[in-house]
Amino acid sequence: MERKTNYGNWIPITILRICYGVSALLILLFLFFLCCWPCFWAELITGILAVASLVVSAFMHYCRYIFSFNGGGLMGEIHQFLIDHLEWKGDGTLLDIGCGAAALTNRCAKHYPKATLTGIDYWGIGWNYAKEQCEQNAEIEGVADRVTFQKGDAAKLDFEDETFDAAVSNFVFHEVRSQSDKREVVREALRVVKKGGSFAFQDLFGSRSLYGDMTQFIEILHNEGISEIHYIPHVERQPFISRRPALSLMLRNMGLLYGRK
């Protein structure tokens, strides 16, 4: 029997179960007030809430399908958008910061067949990913001989300065709980990239509460020695996302920071 990769989904199945469970409960309450204990206002309120809950459940179900690698494939398209902007020939080593279930790591491994890759992730409680899952996915994709995974904290990477020829990260920095200043998480990622090495990071760079003024931040990074930096704001407005308007709202403030150290 052919094994299939398990990369998870940005909309966990648990969320869907909760949404549909709440909808079922509200429908039962509506029927109770309608049939067993007639009360106009109770019927009206529970009826409205039940309909609203069903709409939310259906929307989340739709989002899960669109994000799915085996469904709409949007997660894969977002990863490919990042790789397409990584100015790297693929000779040497690459670090994927916050690799999750290794979807981006393995895509990079297949895109750069000469590269050796490392994926790090915290894999803490509350996340539906694990190191063993990453290793299994890499084996199924046929890249396990060039990819390794280890537990790590993106706020304090367990690597010497200028260790890697390239580094990538996708939608991770804003989730790092051990560092409140997300600019410092970016700096830490850049620290382990070799001088002249390449990087491509996607995150909520458009959120001023997280990153402040990105124009100012890019200028600061230039002054700190980063030789080349490009910034694409509002990635959610790119055609491959914007053709799904509802998901553009979910991905608002998404930006791509890429260049050479």
Side-chain angles (χ1 to χ4, degrees):
M1 182 177 180
E2 183 181 356
R3 292 189 300 168
K4 294 183 178 180
T5 54
N6 175 17
Y7 289 128
N9 195 293
W10 286 351
I11 308 294
I13 190 64
T14 303
I15 297 296
L16 281 187
R17 289 171 179 166
I18 292 172
C19 288
Y20 282 118
V22 170
S23 298
L25 178 60
L26 288 169
I27 290 172
L28 288 174
L29 283 173
F30 170 74
L31 293 174
F32 172 77
F33 288 119
L34 181 67
C35 303
C36 303
W37 192 4
C39 175
F40 172 77
W41 289 109
E43 294 169 20
L44 179 64
I45 293 172
T46 55
I48 291 173
L49 290 176
V51 170
S53 182
L54 283 171
V55 170
V56 170
S57 299
F59 174 69
M60 297 304 289
H61 203 134
Y62 165 76
C63 291
R64 180 177 169 83
Y65 170 77
I66 294 298
F67 280 131
S68 172
F69 288 96
N70 298 318
L74 182 58
M75 291 172 69
E77 293 180 53
I78 289 172
H79 289 167
Q80 191 60 49
F81 183 76
L82 182 152
I83 293 173
D84 289 343
H85 289 84
L86 181 65
E87 300 174 346
W88 189 48
K89 293 182 179 179
D91 296 319
T93 57
L94 179 145
L95 175 67
D96 181 9
I97 303 168
C99 63
L104 177 57
T105 318
N106 293 339
R107 183 177 284 259
C108 286
K110 296 173 80 171
H111 190 83
Y112 302 110
K114 296 181 180 180
T116 300
L117 302 92
T118 300
I120 71 107
D121 201 282
Y122 193 72
W123 294 308
I125 296 174
W127 300 102
N128 297 318
Y129 308 119
K131 180 182 178 183
E132 294 75 18
Q133 182 181 355
C134 292
E135 293 170 341
Q136 290 173 8
N137 285 333
E139 183 180 349
I140 293 169
E141 294 281 18
V143 298
D145 59 327
R146 295 185 291 112
V147 181
T148 58
F149 301 96
Q150 64 186 69
K151 187 176 178 65
D153 184 351
K156 191 175 182 181
L157 297 169
D158 191 23
F159 304 105
E160 299 293 331
D161 294 356
E162 301 189 12
T163 298
F164 296 92
D165 297 290
V168 297
S169 185
N170 187 69
F171 247 55
V172 172
F173 295 161
H174 69 282
E175 296 281 5
V176 178
R177 299 168 186 172
S178 54
Q179 174 56 266
S180 58
D181 187 346
K182 305 311 175 189
R183 289 187 174 193
E184 290 303 315
V185 182
V186 176
R187 286 190 174 95
E188 178 65 3
L190 291 171
R191 178 185 67 79
V192 300
V193 178
K194 294 178 182 178
K195 192 64 179 175
S198 303
F199 60 88
F201 307 137
Q202 273 183 153
D203 200 40
L204 300 177
F205 291 123
S207 172
R208 295 184 69 90
S209 63
L210 292 173
Y211 290 101
D213 186 331
M214 281 299 293
T215 301
Q216 178 193 60
F217 183 40
I218 289 170
E219 183 178 350
I220 291 171
L221 290 176
H222 269 305
N223 293 335
E224 291 176 352
I226 307 302
S227 63
E228 179 186 338
I229 310 177
H230 305 283
Y231 175 53
I232 300 177
H234 300 298
V235 173
E236 71 273 11
R237 296 178 186 173
Q238 293 292 317
F240 72 98
I241 297 179
S242 63
R243 66 174 180 262
R244 301 143 170 154
L247 294 181
S248 296
L249 294 175
M250 291 187 67
L251 298 172
R252 66 186 183 278
N253 293 325
M254 183 178 176
L256 173 65
L257 195 67
Y258 68 100
R260 294 182 183 277
K261 185 171 176 181

